[in-house]
Amino acid sequence: MGKMKEKFIEEQERLIREAVEAFVDDDWQYQEYLKSLSERMGYGTVTQEEAQSNHDDWWNSLTNEQKQQLYLDQEEATKESNDEYLNHWLKNNNNASK
């Protein structure tokens, strides 16, 4: 491999490495920002276990009728969303074939 090609590959690898490191730093800084923001607003940090526990407590507090209604509402929302998607697709497909 020629010296120019080696130099080019080294430079590309360096740029990729720097981009990855910048992304990791940006993500870490963003997470730190969110953490400090939540603390300033009076919210504590919540672990995945705490979030799951809160959800379980909420779910267990519902009656069977409330759970059934949530299920029915979700089914209706899914059906409406699917119908809208299908209608949109059919409309666009018909327009494309003209």
Side-chain angles (χ1 to χ4, degrees):
M1 186 173 349
K3 284 196 177 270
M4 288 299 290
K5 190 172 184 179
E6 284 179 24
K7 195 76 164 155
F8 175 77
I9 290 173
E10 286 175 9
E11 180 66 12
Q12 293 301 307
E13 288 173 346
R14 182 185 67 76
L15 291 172
I16 291 170
R17 190 172 42 256
E18 286 177 1
V20 168
E21 289 170 359
F23 173 77
V24 170
D25 287 345
D26 287 347
D27 186 53
W28 177 83
Q29 288 175 346
Y30 178 65
Q31 294 302 322
E32 288 297 305
Y33 165 74
L34 290 178
K35 182 180 171 185
S36 69
L37 183 63
S38 67
E39 289 170 355
R40 282 188 306 225
M41 295 179 72
Y43 304 120
T45 55
V46 177
T47 65
Q48 181 65 36
E49 292 79 16
E50 290 172 319
Q52 185 64 48
S53 177
N54 289 340
H55 177 269
D56 291 345
D57 291 345
W58 166 77
W59 183 256
N60 292 332
S61 74
L62 298 176
T63 65
N64 286 338
E65 292 79 18
Q66 290 171 317
K67 292 176 184 178
Q68 182 66 25
Q69 188 60 51
L70 284 171
Y71 173 78
L72 294 173
D73 291 347
Q74 181 61 44
E75 284 293 306
E76 181 63 25
T78 300
K79 182 183 179 312
E80 287 177 14
S81 177
N82 290 343
D83 289 347
E84 287 176 15
Y85 175 79
L86 181 60
N87 290 335
H88 178 75
W89 184 82
L90 288 172
K91 179 181 174 185
N92 286 342
N93 200 21
N94 286 338
N95 289 338
S97 65
K98 290 181 181 181

mmCIF file of all heavy atoms in Angstrom, residues 1-10:
data_model
loop_
_atom_site.group_PDB
_atom_site.id
_atom_site.type_symbol
_atom_site.label_atom_id
_atom_site.label_comp_id
_atom_site.label_asym_id
_atom_site.label_seq_id
_atom_site.Cartn_x
_atom_site.Cartn_y
_atom_site.Cartn_z
ATOM 1 N N MET A 1 0.857 -1.177 0.000
ATOM 2 C CA MET A 1 0.000 0.000 0.000
ATOM 3 C C MET A 1 0.900 1.235 0.000
ATOM 4 O O MET A 1 1.895 1.303 0.714
ATOM 5 C CB MET A 1 -0.887 -0.051 1.241
ATOM 6 C CG MET A 1 -1.904 1.005 1.286
ATOM 7 S SD MET A 1 -3.148 0.964 2.611
ATOM 8 C CE MET A 1 -3.050 -0.565 3.435
ATOM 9 N N GLY A 2 0.532 2.223 -0.806
ATOM 10 C CA GLY A 2 1.332 3.428 -0.905
ATOM 11 C C GLY A 2 1.224 4.301 0.342
ATOM 12 O O GLY A 2 0.285 4.184 1.129
ATOM 13 N N LYS A 3 2.224 5.178 0.486
ATOM 14 C CA LYS A 3 2.250 6.063 1.662
ATOM 15 C C LYS A 3 1.036 6.983 1.702
ATOM 16 O O LYS A 3 0.494 7.244 2.765
ATOM 17 C CB LYS A 3 3.548 6.871 1.674
ATOM 18 C CG LYS A 3 4.747 6.079 2.109
ATOM 19 C CD LYS A 3 5.865 7.041 2.465
ATOM 20 C CE LYS A 3 7.052 6.265 2.963
ATOM 21 N NZ LYS A 3 7.006 6.081 4.390
ATOM 22 N N MET A 4 0.588 7.461 0.567
ATOM 23 C CA MET A 4 -0.566 8.362 0.541
ATOM 24 C C MET A 4 -1.827 7.620 0.986
ATOM 25 O O MET A 4 -2.639 8.157 1.735
ATOM 26 C CB MET A 4 -0.763 8.940 -0.872
ATOM 27 C CG MET A 4 0.285 9.955 -1.269
ATOM 28 S SD MET A 4 0.306 11.409 -0.196
ATOM 29 C CE MET A 4 -1.203 12.191 -0.643
ATOM 30 N N LYS A 5 -1.970 6.381 0.525
ATOM 31 C CA LYS A 5 -3.145 5.602 0.905
ATOM 32 C C LYS A 5 -3.123 5.295 2.397
ATOM 33 O O LYS A 5 -4.149 5.385 3.079
ATOM 34 C CB LYS A 5 -3.195 4.311 0.082
ATOM 35 C CG LYS A 5 -4.488 3.559 0.226
ATOM 36 C CD LYS A 5 -4.566 2.408 -0.759
ATOM 37 C CE LYS A 5 -5.900 1.720 -0.660
ATOM 38 N NZ LYS A 5 -6.028 0.623 -1.608
ATOM 39 N N GLU A 6 -1.947 4.929 2.923
ATOM 40 C CA GLU A 6 -1.810 4.673 4.355
ATOM 41 C C GLU A 6 -2.154 5.918 5.162
ATOM 42 O O GLU A 6 -2.862 5.856 6.167
ATOM 43 C CB GLU A 6 -0.384 4.218 4.685
ATOM 44 C CG GLU A 6 -0.073 2.800 4.305
ATOM 45 C CD GLU A 6 1.356 2.424 4.648
ATOM 46 O OE1 GLU A 6 1.958 3.049 5.560
ATOM 47 O OE2 GLU A 6 1.864 1.503 3.988
ATOM 48 N N LYS A 7 -1.646 7.060 4.716
ATOM 49 C CA LYS A 7 -1.913 8.325 5.409
ATOM 50 C C LYS A 7 -3.407 8.640 5.381
ATOM 51 O O LYS A 7 -3.971 9.079 6.384
ATOM 52 C CB LYS A 7 -1.107 9.432 4.731
ATOM 53 C CG LYS A 7 -0.989 10.666 5.508
ATOM 54 C CD LYS A 7 0.009 10.469 6.610
ATOM 55 C CE LYS A 7 0.413 11.817 7.136
ATOM 56 N NZ LYS A 7 0.875 11.773 8.493
ATOM 57 N N PHE A 8 -4.036 8.402 4.237
ATOM 58 C CA PHE A 8 -5.471 8.648 4.103
ATOM 59 C C PHE A 8 -6.262 7.760 5.070
ATOM 60 O O PHE A 8 -7.158 8.235 5.771
ATOM 61 C CB PHE A 8 -5.919 8.396 2.667
ATOM 62 C CG PHE A 8 -7.399 8.503 2.472
ATOM 63 C CD1 PHE A 8 -8.011 9.747 2.413
ATOM 64 C CD2 PHE A 8 -8.185 7.364 2.367
ATOM 65 C CE1 PHE A 8 -9.383 9.854 2.248
ATOM 66 C CE2 PHE A 8 -9.557 7.462 2.207
ATOM 67 C CZ PHE A 8 -10.153 8.713 2.141
ATOM 68 N N ILE A 9 -5.924 6.480 5.105
ATOM 69 C CA ILE A 9 -6.630 5.540 5.985
ATOM 70 C C ILE A 9 -6.420 5.929 7.444
ATOM 71 O O ILE A 9 -7.369 5.915 8.242
ATOM 72 C CB ILE A 9 -6.183 4.086 5.707
ATOM 73 C CG1 ILE A 9 -6.710 3.651 4.340
ATOM 74 C CG2 ILE A 9 -6.666 3.150 6.803
ATOM 75 C CD1 ILE A 9 -6.204 2.304 3.872
ATOM 76 N N GLU A 10 -5.205 6.296 7.814
ATOM 77 C CA GLU A 10 -4.933 6.729 9.191
ATOM 78 C C GLU A 10 -5.773 7.948 9.546
ATOM 79 O O GLU A 10 -6.339 8.033 10.642
ATOM 80 C CB GLU A 10 -3.450 7.038 9.365
ATOM 81 C CG GLU A 10 -2.553 5.829 9.425
ATOM 82 C CD GLU A 10 -1.076 6.208 9.477
ATOM 83 O OE1 GLU A 10 -0.755 7.415 9.632
ATOM 84 O OE2 GLU A 10 -0.249 5.293 9.339
#
